[in-house]
Each structure stands twice: as C-alpha cells, then as structure tokens.
Amino acid sequence: MAAWPTLAPLAADADLTAAFELLGLKWNGTILHTLATRPARFGELRTAIGRISTKMLADRLRGLLDAGPVTHDQLPPGPATYTLTADGRALLPALEQIRSCRSTAPPDPATPQRSEHTRPHAPCPKPRSPHFLGSGPGLALAHGAGSSIVSAYGPTLQGLAAHHTVVGIDYPGSGRAPPVTKPLSPDDLADQLVAASVAEGLETFAVSGYSLGGPVAIRAAARHPGWSVVKPNRE
C-alpha cells in the first residue's frame, strides 16, 4: 500500500487575520474610506455615513484609535478631529479593491446606493431592492412567491429590527424590484439575498424563509455556508 503523502502544515497568516478582525467589523471600512478624503470631526462623519448610530460610531472610532489606523487631535474649543494614520492609509488600496466588487456593474435605479464595503471573496450578484434596518446579529429575510418583504414580514419587521440587523430583498418582479427579465431559480434568489446581506456589511447572518423563502433560505445556507445559516420561521 502506498504511503500517505506528507503534507505541509497549514498556518493562518497572522497579519491577514488581524486585518480582517479590524475591517470585518461593520462600518470600519466605511469610516476609513470616508476619512481618506480629509480629516473630519465626529458630527461630520456621522452625517457623511448616514445610517450609523451615534453610539456605534463612537464605539468604532474608539476601536480604530486603539488599533492604530486612526488618530485624533483635540482642537480647543471644538471637538476632536479624526485623521488617518500611515497605517490607515496603507489599508486604502485594499478597500478600493473590495469596493470594486460593487462598482463594476451600472447602478440599478431601484437599488439604494450605499458605500459599505464587502470582503473580497463575497458573492457578487447584484442585489435588488434591499430592505435594511435595525442593529444586532444579522438576519436575512426570504419572502414567498407572489409577495414581498413588506407584505410577508411587514407586521414583524420592527420587532425583528429591535434585536437584529435585518436585510431583505424583493424578488425580481415583486415589491419594489424591477420586472422579471429571465427565469429565476432558488439558487439565483439565494445568491441575490446573500449578496445584499454582505453588501450591508454583515459578517454572518441567519436566514428566515417564508413559504418559497424556505427553499431560498436552504439554498443560501448550502451555497454560502461561511455566511449564512437557516433560521426556522416561527411567525
């Protein structure tokens, strides 16, 4: 019997791990990319980024200050001004590469345009009409045939968003999405849902499926196991 070949030992790259621990946190990439234009005060960053909460922005800036990509100067009597350090600017080329995953296709007028960054190996089908609200662990919603996110989940959306970052898409031809232009499959819908969730900055997320959304949720978990798991719908 032939001997089993000796394989080289595997080791995760420590620098890459540290980089993703920093950039993998929601909003960190957006904050760094926004500061690439010029130094900014807290209120300016809050306004520029938009849907980030004051508490979340304060927490993320504190972490970036501790990690080193951002520094701040107190300029009496005004508030602190935040600036990228040399380490922060060194991350900008990587952020631009990640950003290119969303910028290669022409924008869809029905899709809200956002500046969040995805990880480089994220699935890249163009998501359609994402619904995004709340904060906390990620939860992606897959609605049934002939309905939409609002009609299927509308009564429970605010309750879900109280404890989760909720992302949902209207399937092509439903809700706010453009008409269907080609045959669709659960795999297509699953890829679009995962792409929309990743584009919103979710690291991992559960998927709740209603009716047809059940098979879509299962396909999302099967095709993208590093991102999603199926969450039983008990509504």
Side-chain angles (χ1 to χ4, degrees), residues 14-107:
D15 291 337
L16 187 64
T17 299
F20 274 112
E21 285 176 350
L22 178 71
L23 295 178
L25 290 175
K26 184 178 180 181
W27 301 115
N28 273 2
T30 305
I31 293 169
L32 294 174
H33 194 269
T34 303
L35 287 174
T37 304
R38 63 169 176 81
R41 293 180 173 178
F42 186 94
E44 292 178 302
L45 282 172
R46 175 75 174 83
T47 300
I49 295 173
R51 287 189 284 182
I52 188 171
S53 69
T54 299
K55 181 180 183 301
M56 178 64 75
L57 180 57
D59 289 344
R60 291 294 182 255
L61 284 172
R62 189 178 303 113
L64 291 169
L65 288 168
D66 291 342
V70 173
T71 186
H72 72 303
D73 297 312
Q74 189 73 31
L75 301 176
T81 298
Y82 296 89
T83 307
L84 289 183
T85 64
D87 288 343
R89 292 201 168 275
L91 293 170
L92 294 179
L95 290 177
E96 284 298 327
Q97 289 293 318
I98 296 170
R99 180 175 175 270
S100 67
C101 178
R102 291 298 310 275
S103 61
T104 53

Side-chain angles (χ1 to χ4, degrees), residues 51 102 111-112 114 116-118 122-132 139-141 165-170 188-202 205 224 227:
R51 287 189 284 182
R102 291 298 310 275
T111 302
R114 295 171 55 81
E116 285 84 355
H117 309 288
T118 66
C124 290
K126 186 167 63 172
R128 297 180 182 273
S129 301
H131 297 261
F132 174 87
L139 177 62
L141 305 180
T165 298
V166 178
V167 175
I169 60 167
D170 294 327
D188 295 328
L189 300 177
D191 289 348
Q192 290 183 20
L193 179 59
V194 172
S197 302
V198 171
E200 296 294 354
L202 297 185
F205 46 91
H224 307 284
W227 298 89

